[in-house]
Amino acid sequence: MFFRQWLRAPLKTASVVPSSPRLGRAMAMAIPPGAEKVVELGAGTGAITRALLRYRVRPENLFIVELNAELHGELTAAFPNSPVVCGDARQLPALLAEHATFDGRADAVVSSLGFLSMPPALVDEIVDAIFASMGPAGTLIQFTYGPRCPISRTTRQRLGLRSRRVGFTWLNLPPASVYVLERR
């Protein structure tokens, strides 16, 4: 199914295969220990979701966002104890406001969005929405197939963010790095 989604919309689906369990574990382990309310953006087929639930997040505290309606349906069936919404990451503050459990705020956002294949203005809108939906100690965990942080230096400076690479896995197709972004 994942490959079929990529064939239909290659610019909206960042990879031809789901993320590996190793990448999922690296993403989960990058969530700060105090983070309770977690958002996952671009959950796809749920590969990262499973790792988040296995290692770090209680089902009711994981807010799953997927833009693709077909994948959203699959995620809703696969993760019945977590809120799953079909929505655009640029609308994250509004999506969170609609769910009482989250009170419009998250402690961390885990993103599988393909920032490298998006126009820079779209990436900026999404990153703005992510940090607008978190308090001052909020953390963004993002993976990338590229050689450096997929969020531009300009955007990081504008928002006062620092980034650090916290993981790398060869056992993913393609190999991927995990970055943590936080306010300075």
Side-chain angles (χ1 to χ4, degrees):
M1 177 166 80
F2 199 84
F3 183 68
R4 187 173 68 238
Q5 295 301 318
W6 180 82
L7 282 174
R8 285 185 189 158
L11 293 179
K12 289 185 178 179
T13 307
S15 178
V16 296
V17 294
S19 300
S20 73
R22 296 265 181 155
L23 179 57
R25 184 176 192 284
M27 298 281 282
M29 299 314 285
I31 296 172
E36 197 171 299
K37 305 291 184 185
V38 177
V39 172
E40 181 185 11
L41 298 177
T45 59
I48 302 292
T49 313
R50 282 185 272 292
L52 297 175
L53 293 171
R54 181 175 183 191
Y55 295 108
R56 281 281 206 246
V57 187
R58 294 170 47 133
E60 64 274 13
N61 291 339
L62 180 60
F63 188 84
I64 303 166
V65 180
E66 175 55 53
L67 183 61
N68 180 297
E70 187 176 345
L71 292 174
H72 166 261
E74 297 288 328
L75 291 164
T76 301
F79 304 103
N81 297 320
S82 297
V84 182
V85 299
C86 188
D88 188 320
R90 293 174 290 182
Q91 304 303 317
L92 185 57
L95 295 172
L96 284 170
E98 293 173 8
H99 288 270
T101 305
F102 281 78
D103 283 334
R105 284 276 188 234
D107 299 316
V109 173
V110 175
S111 169
S112 297
L113 300 177
F115 286 148
L116 295 180
S117 64
M118 294 180 188
L122 177 57
V123 173
D124 283 357
E125 288 179 59
I126 293 170
V127 174
D128 286 347
I130 289 169
F131 281 93
S133 68
M134 295 189 292
T139 300
L140 168 61
I141 297 102
Q142 174 72 47
F143 81 84
T144 184
Y145 303 129
R148 61 182 150 281
C149 182
I151 298 164
S152 74
R153 177 178 288 148
T154 304
T155 299
R156 295 192 317 259
Q157 288 175 340
R158 179 175 56 81
L159 294 174
L161 305 176
R162 67 173 181 255
S163 68
R164 57 192 163 88
R165 187 172 127 175
V166 298
F168 180 78
T169 179
W170 285 103
L171 299 175
N172 193 72
L173 187 61
S177 292
V178 176
Y179 282 86
V180 166
L181 291 99
E182 301 166 309
R183 291 183 178 95
R184 294 177 194 253

